[in-house]
Amino acid sequence: MVRLPYTTALTTLFSYGLLFAFGQLRDFFRKFVDWFKAKNIKGYAPICLGLEDFYVRRLYLRIQDCFGRPIASAPDSWFDVVERTSNDNNKTLQCTSNTTRCLNLGSYNYLGFAAADEYCTPRVIESLKKYSASTCSVRVDGGTTKLHAELEELAARFVGKPAAILFGMGYVTNSAIIPCLIGKGGLIISDSLNHNSIVNGARGSGATVRVFQHNSPAHLEEVLREQIAGGQPRTHRPWKKIIVIVEGIYSMEGELCKLPEIIAVCKKYKAYTYLDEAHSIGAVGQSGRGVCELLGVDPADVDIMMGTFTKSFGSCGGYIAASKEIIQHLKQSCPAHLYATSMSPPAVQQVISAIKVILGEDGSNRGAQKLARIRENSNFFRSELKKMGFEVLGDNDSPVMPIMLYNPAKIPAFSRECLRQKVAVVTVAFPATPLLLARARICISASHTREDLMKALDVISRVGDLVGIKYFPAEPPKIAEADHDKLE
């Protein structure tokens, strides 16, 4: 967890307070201008109310050039970022014909499959010729190909579960599945930092939702005991079922889930475990099988395993792996399976080919090399950032490493200066994070070379000095050099 220093919290609050005050002042004077320019059709309420979109208008739009940058190439270790211009102080942005070649530290291309691959790409092209770009149908009609059936079997085998089901979007995998697993009379206990897709899925289920402190098995046990003792609201009847939902790697923190301890608590109180492995499957573990393999957990002890194909496998969509009974229930009841167009066949083939490379079924050891490289790159980069004095969140082996920025003025300053020096980073602020905890999220790939990482470290260090985000004292150069020699 982040322990925000007092002075940093004070200056950050002051900065946001100043922005809020000036924004309200501008809105006050804007009312007089709008009095003479009626923009709304008579009788209709405005779609965007002042207070509801205040943050977007007065804060986000000023720095929106730091977000949603279009690219003009595959998201490999280096990619082309499209340059944009604005003639109205960033209210609107126009793409130009110019691009800048940048080092990519923002994409979820953990194993490097997002670019052309000697094994995957020819097979994807062949599947495009054979099946076309879309099935133009839902799974229960004409949207199931041989590739979909093959991937379901392969995904289940890969994660160590009896069966699996595919979905065309990772976000929907959570938000549509959770309401099918639990409803009114049930209890969901969710980690306080779970992804928005889990939050929306829990809200839409109709079940009672309780939250436990981030990655705290002790507090989870407290919540479970309290809720089991109290029962359902008003009636105090026993809960119909209890599901505990956690993530393998938390995408905004880069932290590994304390899965063995959480499973022990769930077993003790007979609660089901739902594990979201969007950022961990394929990226961690000796053979890429996620946090269960990394932390020595038997997949049989996890009741529902969710993951996405958008990170380590260079494709799109998601999966649920569980018992055959649960998967059959989802195939009969989940709206995302019954009414949504199935995964694009070339996207399915990309995942199949990527998993075969990871497992070594392509006849090479490239999968093992990729897994070793992502682990080495991640641990090296994290270690070097900490030595420089940055506040870096997360655990070793995690390819996600947030660098804390805090102050709102440092968000655009860090992002723009890195881009100017040809390093593309992702900055994250409210509402994706708490208001005071803005950060830059670095994602490391197996496709990054040591030269790429050294360039990134050099740029980030210089920009960090310029912006003032080295919140800890740096290690002396001699010690840092000695440690670097040991790593080599």
Side-chain angles (χ1 to χ4, degrees), residues 137-144 330-332 334 337-340 342:
S137 183
V138 299
R139 288 290 304 274
V140 293
D141 292 337
T144 298
L330 294 177
K331 287 183 176 181
Q332 294 171 350
C334 181
H337 180 78
L338 298 173
Y339 305 117
S342 61

Side-chain angles (χ1 to χ4, degrees), residues 152 190 250 294 339 343:
E152 286 180 338
S190 179
Y250 290 88
L294 180 68
Y339 305 117
M343 274 183 72

Side-chain angles (χ1 to χ4, degrees), residues 256 284-286 289-297 375 396-397:
L256 295 169
V284 298
Q286 188 65 30
R289 287 179 165 88
V291 292
C292 286
E293 182 178 48
L294 180 68
L295 302 177
V297 173
R375 184 166 55 251
N396 284 337
D397 289 350

Side-chain angles (χ1 to χ4, degrees), residues 402-461:
I403 301 174
M404 298 308 297
L405 302 177
Y406 296 120
N407 197 289
K410 295 180 181 182
I411 301 170
F414 183 80
S415 178
R416 290 166 181 165
E417 187 60 25
C418 283
L419 184 65
R420 192 181 69 81
Q421 300 191 39
K422 296 181 172 51
V423 173
V425 298
V426 170
T427 50
V428 188
F430 180 84
T433 66
L435 187 66
L436 303 184
L437 302 182
R439 64 201 67 180
R441 184 176 63 176
I442 306 298
C443 292
I444 298 300
S445 171
S447 63
H448 287 133
T449 63
R450 183 54 62 95
E451 290 73 22
D452 293 337
L453 299 181
M454 293 304 296
K455 173 182 172 55
L457 288 167
D458 178 57
V459 170
I460 291 174
S461 179

Side-chain angles (χ1 to χ4, degrees), residues 16-36:
Y16 276 111
L18 203 62
L19 289 169
F20 182 82
F22 275 97
Q24 291 290 349
L25 193 64
R26 289 170 65 91
D27 278 1
F28 175 77
F29 286 107
R30 189 70 189 175
K31 289 179 182 179
F32 293 99
V33 177
D34 291 343
W35 183 271
F36 302 100

Side-chain angles (χ1 to χ4, degrees), residues 178-179 182-188 201-210 239 241:
I178 294 173
I182 192 168
K184 188 176 180 181
L187 173 65
I188 294 174
R203 288 174 177 171
S205 69
T208 300
V209 181
R210 294 292 181 265
W239 299 101
K241 70 179 80 168

Side-chain angles (χ1 to χ4, degrees), residues 66-83 98-109 114-116 415 418-419 421-426 441 443 445 447-448 452 455:
C66 300
F67 306 98
R69 290 171 175 148
I71 64 173
S73 65
D76 203 358
S77 56
W78 288 79
F79 61 2
D80 297 323
V81 179
V82 177
E83 296 179 9
N98 301 323
T99 60
T100 302
R101 191 71 174 170
C102 294
L103 178 60
N104 180 9
L105 294 181
S107 298
Y108 305 133
N109 184 26
S415 178
C418 283
L419 184 65
Q421 300 191 39
K422 296 181 172 51
V423 173
V425 298
V426 170
R441 184 176 63 176
C443 292
S445 171
S447 63
H448 287 133
D452 293 337
K455 173 182 172 55

